[in-house]
Amino acid sequence: MLDKAFDPASMEARLYAASEASGAFSANPESNAQPFTIVVPPPNVTGSLHIGHALNNTLQDVLVRYRRMQGRDALWMPGTDHAGIATQMVVERLLGSQGKTRKELGREAFVDRIWEWKAESGGTITRQLRRLGASLDWPRERFTMDAGLSKAVIEVFVRLHKEGLIYRDTRLVNWDPVFQTAISDLEVENREMKGQIWTLRYPVEGEPGRFIEVATTRPETMLGDTAVAVHPEDERFRDLVGKRAILPLTGRAIPVVADEYSDPEKGTGAVKITPAHDFNDYGVGRRHDLPMPSVLDAEARVWLAEIEADLRAVDGVADPDFVRALAGVDRFEARKRILAELERLELLVKADAHTNMVPHGDRSGVPIEPRMTLQWYCDAATLAKPAIEAVETGKTEFVPKQWENTFFAWMRDIQPWCISRQLWWGHRIPAWYAPDGSVFVEKDEEAAQAAARAKFGGDVALTRDEDVLDTWFSSGLWPFSTLGWPEQTPELAKYYPTDVLVTGFDIIFFWVARMMMFGIHIMGEVPFKHVVIHGLVRDEKGAKMSKSKGNVLDPLELVDAYGADAVRFTLCALASPGRDIKLAKSRMEGYRAFATKLWNASRFLEMNGIAANPAWKPESAQGALARWILDGANTAIAEATAALDAFRFDEYASVLYRFTWNSFCDWFIEFAKPVLNGPDGAEKDEVKGAAQHVIGTILRLLQPVMPYITEELWTHLGFGGEASLIKAPWPAAAEVSGAAEARAELDGVVRLITEVRAVRAEVNVPPSITTKLLVQGASPETLARADRWIDAIRRLARVTEIEKLDGPVPPGVVQAVVGEATLLLPLGDVIDLGAERARLSKERAKAEGEVKKISAKLGNADFIAKAKEEVIDENRERLADAEAEIARLDAAMARIAG
C-alpha cells in the first residue's frame, strides 16, 4: 500500500540508482533504432548546479526521455569544460592560501596540480545533475581536455592553419591585467560606474592661442593619442581637418582627421583617438592609417617604450621629464597625476559627473584594457558563410525562430576570432618556433622537427608556443569530438549530426555559432537540426538573480524542499518560448501540491482495488463516464505529443496539469466514487478498467518531466517492475466508441456544476448551505442529462433538487448561463444580496482605481525611460490582472437579479 503522505526524499536516490543500473540511460550504437542525440552544453568543471543549469538540463531530459519512450535510440552525451581561466583562478587561489604561486611551481607542476584538483573536486556538478534526475549516458562522459578531445583540437588547429584559416596577427584585444591574458567578449562584464568626463584643450599647431577641445573618460591613455577626430560635416572644425594639434604632455604633433565616428551632438564634437587602447579608436586608426603605440603594459602600468622617441618639450604644453616619471605607474594613479599636470598647464577645462558602462573581467573583477598584442586568430568570416546559409535554408532551425535574426546579425558582421590565451591551463597551441622566428604548426614536436629539417637542411632548436587555446575552440568541436572524431567510430556514424541543442540565448554567439562553423567545415554537415533557445531564470519580480541582491534560488535547496519532480515541472511549465522565467517559490509549492494530488489519487485507486489490468480493453467501454475519461486521455496524448514535438514545454506541462488534476482527479474520481462504493457488477468493472488505463496513461505522459513519482506509482499499481516505466512505450490513443456523445454528456454536467460552484463562490455562500436549482430555457436533452446525473450534481454542486422554471424570474436569485439554459440559484433568503452587490461594487471601484494608477504610470514617458525592464513588466502584469478582476466583478454583479 502506498504511504499516506508523499515523501520525495524517501524515493529519489533509490529510483535514480535503479534506473541508471538498469541501463535505461544508455544508448546502443549497435541497435537498428532511429537515433536521437543531444549533447549537453558542457558546464565548467569548476561549477556547481545553478538554476539556469536546472532549467536547461530539465528541458533536455524531458526531450530525451520522451524520445526513448517513442523507441528512439537516445544518446544524451554528458561532459564538462576545462574552463581555462576559471579553473586556473581556482587553483591559483588554493596555492595562494598555501603561500605559493604558480610561477614558483613552474608550468608543468602547476598543470599537474590542476589535474589533481580536477580529480578531487571537479565532479561536483555532475553529481548534482543526478539529484535533478538527469538521465545522461554517464559512462560516455567526456572532458574537453581528455586525450580524445585533445587529439581532435590539435587536428582541427593544424588543418585550419594549413588551409590559411588560422594565422597570427597584431590586433586589439580585451586584456585582463590581473590574469595578464586576452579574454573573450563573453568573459567581459559591463558594469555601470559613476565617474567623471574631463574636457581637455589640445593646442592647434602653428596657431598660438587656438585650441581644440576633446572630452574623455580616460585621460591616462592620452599619451598614446595619434589623432583628433571630428565629423566631416561639422562646420565648427572644417578648417582644422588636415591640420595638426599638439598632444599635451608628450609634445607630439597629431593630425586632425574627419571621421563619422565623431558625434557632433556628443561632448565637444571632437574626440581623441588612441588606437591601441580603445576598440572604436582602433577602427578609426585603421581607416586613417594612424600609428598605434601602446602606453600601458600587461599589468596596466604606464609603458613608454613605444613613445619615448617622440617625447619633446613644448613650452606650456609638454615636459618629457614629467612623462618619464610616469613609467611603471598604475593606470589610475597615472590618471590622477596627468589631470593635476593638465590643470597646472591650464589645459584642463572642466570635469563633469558622468555615468558609463565600464568593461570588467568577469573573473578578476577589474576593468579590462583594450591592448595591442600578437595573437593567434581564426578567420571566422570565412567559416561563418556556410553556417549562415545553413540557417537561411532551414538545415538548422532556431526555436523560437526570431533568434535566427540574432544569429544572422552577429554572423554577418563577424570579426576575426582571437583564439590564443596567455594561460597555462588549456590546450597548448601546436606551434614551434625556430631561432629565426619561423613557425611550424604540426600535430606534435616530432612532426615540427621534421618540417624544420626540411626547411633548414638540419636540426634546429625549436621552442613551443607558450599560449593555450580559448576554451570556446575546444567546446566548438563538442558535437563530434565527443563521438570519437577524428577516429571514424560507430558513434560518430550513427549520432552525428545531433538532433537538438537546448541552450540559453546568451551563448548563441560564443558557442552555437562556433559549433555551426566547425561542424560544417570539418564534418560537412550541420551539428544539429534544431537549436531550442530558452530564456533566463529571474526572480519572481523579473529581476536578474545575483548573490548581492540575495535573490538567488539554489536548485538543490529547492529539490530538498519540494522534490525534484516539482522543481522540474515548475521549470517546464514556465518555459514559454522567447520569454524569461519569473520563478517564485509559490510556483514550486503549487506543483508540489500537484504531485501530492497525483499521489493521493493513486492511493485512492489502490484502496479501491484498482491496479494494472492488461486484460481490460478500452474499446469495450459502454458507459458514458468511462468513454469520457478515455476520450480525454486520447486528447491529452495528442496534445502532449504535439507540444513536445514543437518544443513547447509549457504547453506540455499545462495539458498534463489540466487533464490530471481537473479531468481525472477532480471529476472522474468524484463521479466514480458512487460506482466504486456500490455493488460489484459490470459498471464497477468498467469504471475500474478505465481508471487503471487512464492512470497508466497519465504516468507515462508525465514520466519525462516527473520521473520519480511516476516510476514509484507505476510499480505500486502493478504496471511493471522497478525502473520499468522509463522503458515503457509512449502511450497511443485507445479506440473509444461514441466518444462525441460521451464528451457532450459529461462536459455538459461538468459545465453545470462548475458554473453553480462559481456563482456560490462569488457571492460567498457557505459550503454548508444547500439550495435548489432553477433552470430556465433548457432543452429536453439538457434536462434529461441533469436528471441522469442528479446524484453527482447534488453532491458536487450543493443543490437539493433541479426544478424547471417556465415563468418569470423570481426575485432574490443569482443567475448564470450555461449553453441555452439559464441557471438560477434562489439565495435571497440565504444571504443579503444587496450587501453582496455593494461588496462587489466596492471591490470593482478599488480595481478600477488600480487600473487608473498603473495606466498613468505606464503612460508616463519618464517612467518608461528610467524604470528597469522588470519593473515595467511587473506593472504591465498588474494592469492586466486588475483589468481581468474588473471583468470578473462585472460578471458577478450581472448574475445578481434585482
Side-chain angles (χ1 to χ4, degrees):
M1 179 65 67
L2 287 167
D3 291 340
K4 187 173 183 180
F6 168 54
D7 178 18
S10 68
M11 65 183 72
E12 290 178 352
R14 168 176 53 82
L15 291 173
Y16 189 91
S19 292
E20 185 176 7
S22 75
F25 299 171
S26 301
N28 181 7
E30 297 177 359
S31 78
N32 294 321
Q34 181 184 359
F36 178 79
T37 315
I38 296 182
V39 292
V40 69
N44 287 355
V45 70
T46 58
S48 58
L49 194 70
H50 60 61
I51 200 69
H53 290 133
L55 168 66
N56 182 267
N57 284 276
T58 293
L59 301 185
Q60 291 178 77
D61 198 28
V62 166
L63 290 176
V64 168
R65 288 174 180 268
Y66 165 59
R67 295 301 185 185
R68 280 198 198 107
M69 296 179 79
Q70 287 187 318
R72 302 278 290 271
D73 177 24
L75 170 61
W76 189 16
M77 176 67 73
T80 52
D81 191 283
H82 65 279
I85 197 167
T87 305
Q88 181 160 319
M89 180 181 72
V90 167
V91 177
E92 284 200 62
R93 283 178 177 171
L94 287 173
L95 289 173
S97 68
Q98 300 164 7
K100 302 176 184 176
T101 68
R102 67 180 170 96
K103 291 182 179 178
E104 289 172 353
L105 261 66
R107 182 169 193 148
E108 186 175 346
F110 178 71
V111 171
D112 287 344
R113 181 67 186 87
I114 295 181
W115 279 108
E116 290 173 12
W117 175 88
K118 194 259 180 186
E120 296 165 3
S121 309
T124 299
I125 197 163
T126 55
R127 290 190 296 272
Q128 292 171 333
L129 284 171
R130 287 176 162 89
R131 288 280 320 275
L132 189 67
S135 59
L136 287 145
D137 194 344
W138 292 114
R140 297 182 183 276
E141 184 178 349
R142 303 304 298 268
F143 177 55
T144 49
M145 279 189 62
D146 68 29
L149 270 66
S150 295
K151 183 178 180 181
V153 168
I154 298 299
E155 177 81 21
V156 170
F157 187 97
V158 173
R159 182 184 299 189
L160 293 182
H161 181 266
K162 292 186 185 304
E163 294 173 357
L165 295 172
I166 283 180
Y167 57 91
R168 296 179 87 204
D169 193 11
T170 299
R171 295 175 62 93
L172 205 60
V173 297
N174 296 312
W175 185 264
D176 189 312
V178 171
F179 292 106
Q180 295 179 44
T181 178
I183 60 175
S184 73
D185 290 340
L186 185 67
E187 295 163 314
V188 174
E189 180 182 280
N190 285 303
R191 300 180 187 175
E192 185 175 273
M193 299 194 71
K194 293 180 179 179
Q196 289 183 302
I197 185 167
W198 293 272
T199 301
L200 314 178
R201 297 198 303 173
Y202 286 18
V204 176
E205 186 182 44
E207 298 186 32
R210 188 178 182 187
F211 300 88
I212 184 169
E213 293 185 355
V214 300
T216 180
T217 59
R218 302 204 62 206
E220 67 273 17
T221 65
M222 68 181 294
L223 302 178
D225 287 1
T226 56
V228 172
V230 297
H231 195 277
E233 297 178 4
D234 194 331
E235 294 292 338
R236 294 173 294 175
F237 306 109
R238 185 176 295 277
D239 71 312
L240 284 176
V241 174
K243 294 183 178 181
R244 300 197 300 178
I246 303 300
L247 179 60
L249 306 186
T250 72
R252 186 167 69 248
I254 58 177
V256 178
V257 300
D259 194 281
E260 291 185 351
Y261 166 62
S262 179
D263 184 352
E265 304 298 323
K266 192 174 180 181
T268 65
V271 291
K272 71 186 202 65
I273 302 299
T274 321
H277 294 283
D278 183 276
F279 285 98
N280 291 315
D281 293 4
Y282 178 75
V284 177
R286 293 278 291 249
R287 288 192 291 275
H288 296 274
D289 197 26
L290 297 174
M292 300 187 180
S294 293
V295 293
L296 295 174
D297 66 11
E299 296 180 65
R301 299 174 304 187
V302 174
W303 184 58
L304 303 177
E306 294 186 11
I307 65 166
E308 173 69 38
D310 293 330
L311 296 178
R312 65 189 181 94
V314 178
D315 287 344
V317 177
D319 176 3
D321 289 337
F322 169 79
V323 176
R324 292 188 183 104
L326 293 174
V329 174
D330 176 77
R331 53 185 164 168
F332 298 120
E333 174 60 26
R335 175 185 295 179
K336 295 177 185 177
R337 296 187 191 181
I338 286 170
L339 288 169
E341 178 68 1
L342 290 170
E343 187 170 22
R344 186 186 71 80
L345 295 172
E346 298 183 349
L347 297 176
L348 175 59
V349 178
K350 62 178 179 176
D352 296 316
H354 180 70
T355 299
N356 65 336
M357 302 302 292
V358 178
H360 285 65
D362 68 345
R363 300 290 178 182
S364 65
V366 303
I368 63 104
E369 279 294 337
R371 186 165 184 258
M372 293 288 291
T373 58
L374 177 62
Q375 303 280 353
W376 286 92
Y377 286 88
C378 181
D379 182 358
T382 298
L383 293 175
K385 291 175 184 175
I388 293 168
E389 183 185 6
V391 177
E392 288 174 334
T393 57
K395 292 178 183 176
T396 293
E397 297 179 20
F398 278 74
V399 182
K401 192 173 180 63
Q402 73 233 31
W403 288 111
E404 291 180 2
N405 295 328
T406 302
F407 177 80
F408 289 142
W410 189 72
M411 292 288 273
R412 288 169 179 160
D413 190 37
I414 197 167
Q415 300 300 306
W417 172 20
C418 177
I419 57 174
S420 48
R421 297 289 180 268
Q422 290 66 56
L423 303 171
W424 285 357
W425 173 244
H427 295 100
R428 196 164 175 183
I429 289 174
W432 286 262
Y433 301 95
D436 70 347
S438 298
V439 60
F440 302 94
V441 174
E442 301 292 344
K443 294 180 183 178
D444 53 39
E445 187 170 5
E446 184 179 348
Q449 289 283 4
R453 280 193 297 272
K455 176 174 181 176
F456 295 110
D459 289 337
V460 296
L462 297 181
T463 304
R464 187 167 184 178
D465 198 303
E466 292 287 326
D467 289 354
V468 300
L469 284 165
D470 177 12
T471 55
W472 294 107
F473 191 96
S474 51
S475 57
L477 315 181
W478 190 251
F480 55 91
S481 64
T482 51
L483 299 174
W485 189 90
E487 304 300 325
Q488 298 304 303
T489 64
E491 287 82 359
L492 189 66
K494 183 170 185 179
Y495 301 114
Y496 188 93
T498 69
D499 290 86
V500 184
L501 174 72
V502 181
T503 188
F505 65 81
D506 50 334
I507 55 173
I508 289 176
F509 311 138
F510 305 101
W511 190 47
V512 179
R514 281 149 174 69
M515 287 189 288
M516 290 284 289
M517 292 189 288
F518 283 148
I520 295 171
H521 190 80
I522 301 297
M523 300 297 296
E525 291 185 85
V526 295
F528 23 71
K529 297 163 191 170
H530 292 94
V531 181
V532 178
I533 302 293
H534 58 73
L536 300 178
V537 184
R538 299 180 177 272
D539 71 11
E540 59 188 303
K541 294 183 179 178
K544 189 174 181 180
M545 292 187 184
S546 70
K547 291 180 180 177
S548 61
K549 291 180 181 177
N551 62 348
V552 172
L553 293 177
D554 184 330
L556 296 180
E557 291 179 2
L558 296 173
V559 167
D560 288 340
Y562 306 109
D565 289 326
V567 173
R568 290 165 60 103
F569 197 94
T570 304
L571 294 170
C572 194
L574 297 178
S576 298
R579 298 186 63 183
D580 286 348
I581 288 175
K582 293 182 180 179
L583 187 61
K585 288 185 178 180
S586 59
R587 297 301 294 262
M588 298 277 178
E589 292 166 0
Y591 291 123
R592 164 63 190 259
F594 173 62
T596 299
K597 185 86 169 179
L598 177 63
W599 182 271
N600 291 340
S602 300
R603 190 167 184 272
F604 172 82
L605 298 183
E606 188 181 38
M607 291 171 64
N608 281 273
I610 298 171
N613 181 10
W616 188 83
K617 303 302 180 188
E619 58 267 25
S620 68
Q622 299 297 313
L625 179 58
R627 287 184 288 136
W628 174 74
I629 198 62
L630 291 167
D631 176 65
N634 286 347
T635 300
I637 293 168
E639 291 178 349
T641 303
L644 289 180
D645 286 346
F647 310 109
R648 288 302 304 266
F649 302 97
D650 54 337
E651 290 183 0
Y652 160 70
S654 178
V655 164
L656 297 187
Y657 184 91
R658 286 196 314 269
F659 178 69
T660 303
W661 189 301
N662 298 340
S663 299
F664 187 73
C665 296
D666 276 356
W667 294 112
F668 173 75
I669 287 179
E670 288 301 323
F671 286 146
K673 280 179 179 178
V675 179
L676 296 173
N677 291 331
D680 292 342
E683 184 182 15
K684 179 184 282 191
D685 290 343
E686 180 174 282
V687 167
K688 292 174 71 172
Q692 63 84 31
H693 175 86
V694 173
I695 191 65
T697 298
I698 287 171
L699 296 178
R700 282 187 284 168
L701 289 173
L702 280 171
Q703 192 274 149
V705 67
M706 303 182 84
Y708 292 122
I709 188 172
T710 55
E711 192 76 63
E712 186 80 346
L713 294 176
W714 180 265
T715 302
H716 264 280
L717 293 174
F719 289 100
E722 193 172 56
S724 63
L725 175 57
I726 191 174
K727 299 177 181 179
W730 186 251
E735 183 181 335
V736 180
S737 61
E741 293 83 356
R743 198 158 49 242
E745 177 85 354
L746 269 297
D747 284 354
V749 177
V750 168
R751 282 197 300 272
L752 185 149
I753 295 172
T754 299
E755 202 62 33
V756 172
R757 285 174 165 178
V759 169
R760 290 171 58 94
E762 283 170 353
V763 294
N764 289 329
V765 179
S768 59
I769 294 176
T770 59
T771 65
K772 66 180 177 180
L773 174 63
L774 304 177
V775 181
Q776 186 181 60
S779 66
E781 182 183 352
T782 297
L783 291 171
R785 182 191 303 133
D787 188 57
R788 287 192 296 272
W789 294 90
I790 187 61
D791 289 341
I793 294 170
R794 283 178 179 143
R795 182 163 50 89
L796 300 176
R798 310 297 293 155
V799 301
T800 55
E801 58 183 306
I802 298 177
E803 181 181 306
K804 182 182 178 184
L805 178 66
D806 292 321
V809 175
V813 300
V814 179
Q815 56 189 354
V817 176
V818 177
E820 84 289 356
T822 299
L823 309 181
L824 303 111
L825 288 175
L827 296 172
D829 296 333
V830 176
I831 59 173
D832 186 339
L833 293 179
E836 279 303 312
R837 193 181 294 109
R839 180 184 66 82
L840 293 170
S841 180
K842 184 177 179 181
E843 288 184 10
R844 190 195 187 286
K846 183 179 177 183
E848 190 173 26
E850 184 77 356
V851 166
K852 289 179 180 178
K853 183 175 72 173
I854 301 171
S855 295
K857 185 180 289 187
L858 292 173
N860 185 321
D862 286 343
F863 171 76
I864 296 296
K866 296 176 181 178
K868 292 183 179 179
E869 184 179 346
E870 60 263 26
V871 174
I872 295 172
D873 287 344
E874 182 186 4
N875 276 275
R876 285 174 178 156
E877 288 180 11
R878 286 174 54 207
L879 177 61
D881 290 344
E883 290 173 339
E885 178 67 359
I886 287 175
R888 184 191 72 79
L889 292 166
D890 284 344
M893 286 190 286
R895 296 182 194 277
I896 303 175

